[in-house]
Amino acid sequence: MTEEAPVLLSRDARGIVTVTLNRPKFGNAYNGALLEALIAGLRQLAPDPTVRALLIRGAGKHFQAGADLNWLAEAAGYPPERAHEASMGTVTAMQLLNEFPRPTFALVKGACFGGGAGMVCCVDVALATPDAIFGLTEVRVGVAPSPISTHMVNAIGLRHTRRYALTGERFDAEEALRINLVHEVVAEDAIEARLAHILDETMHSSPTAIAMTKDSFLAGNGLTLHPREMSMLAYESWRQRASDEGREGLAAFREKRKPSWYTKP
């Protein structure tokens, strides 16, 4: 039996492309295969003038539960070159999404942790249902959110990033709205209609004007990533993942126990 593709692409008659993260059994947590498919899709779609907008959603109950921790544990044992390459996958996927030349949207339901929250930081419009739950949880398992760090600061500001990326707390959709991680919280039975309305509004806008506007917002304010910066973010990511605490945190998660650094009050 052939395994389903980890990322599904579909396009409607108007040129709105839906990117469905398709690992529902794992909360759509990303591994190397999902990142490769997402990168390939974004690179294919970005120069296509018939694409008018891009929507990211998750298959099943959850949007995206961050990195697949079993994959991270495996990657913790990679030799340096391969470990750097694995982290570059996350850095590159986020960079391509953040700098995609068309309007980008995310529809968030259920879990949105780690890299999932990073994806939300990288889109232009984010809608969430009231049941959505968020967290920048990497530090809880001894790894660092370096691949998404710049995007978090750009989206929700340094103050909120410092709190949630350092404490690893989970927070609800209303808090995500308050800190500007999402733009609207909409009841589940109304969110598809709300999304359709905003997409229709976007169709009134000139595609080339949108592309120029996005580029001026990002490049004009130093918010695009250059290869050297991307490489450094990837380096920081894999070094922490391969550290003693990175290995301990991932092992503790797999063994369903508290990591060694946790102390009771």
Side-chain angles (χ1 to χ4, degrees), residues 133-257:
I133 186 78
F134 300 82
L136 306 171
T137 50
E138 288 89 343
V139 291
R140 296 269 176 119
V141 292
V143 299
S146 301
I148 63 173
S149 57
T150 57
H151 308 300
M152 290 190 297
V153 173
N154 293 340
I156 64 175
L158 180 59
R159 197 65 178 157
H160 295 309
T161 300
R162 288 174 74 144
R163 172 178 176 172
Y164 286 112
L166 299 182
T167 66
E169 297 168 83
R170 295 185 178 190
F171 52 95
D172 63 16
E174 288 301 325
E175 178 65 356
L177 179 64
R178 187 187 75 84
I179 66 175
N180 294 323
L181 180 57
V182 301
H183 293 93
E184 297 182 22
V185 178
V186 185
E188 184 163 5
D189 62 0
I191 197 166
E192 297 289 350
R194 181 61 179 153
L195 173 64
H197 173 75
I198 299 173
L199 284 167
D200 185 62
E201 288 290 304
T202 306
M203 291 298 104
H204 291 283
S205 303
S206 154
T208 57
I210 285 174
M212 182 63 72
T213 300
K214 285 192 69 169
D215 186 60
S216 65
F217 286 161
L218 296 172
N221 290 284
L223 302 179
T224 54
L225 286 176
H226 300 288
R228 184 177 180 84
E229 296 166 331
M230 293 171 66
S231 182
M232 181 55 68
L233 292 172
Y235 175 81
E236 293 172 354
S237 174
W238 80 258
R239 288 285 297 188
Q240 180 59 31
R241 183 175 62 232
S243 71
D244 289 343
E245 287 190 0
R247 292 172 186 267
E248 162 61 12
L250 293 165
F253 177 84
R254 293 197 311 275
E255 296 163 13
K256 299 181 179 179
R257 60 174 174 81

Side-chain angles (χ1 to χ4, degrees), residues 54-70:
L54 187 81
L55 166 66
I56 296 189
R57 62 197 312 158
K61 297 191 299 182
H62 301 292
F63 176 69
Q64 212 281 326
D68 184 324
L69 295 186
N70 290 317

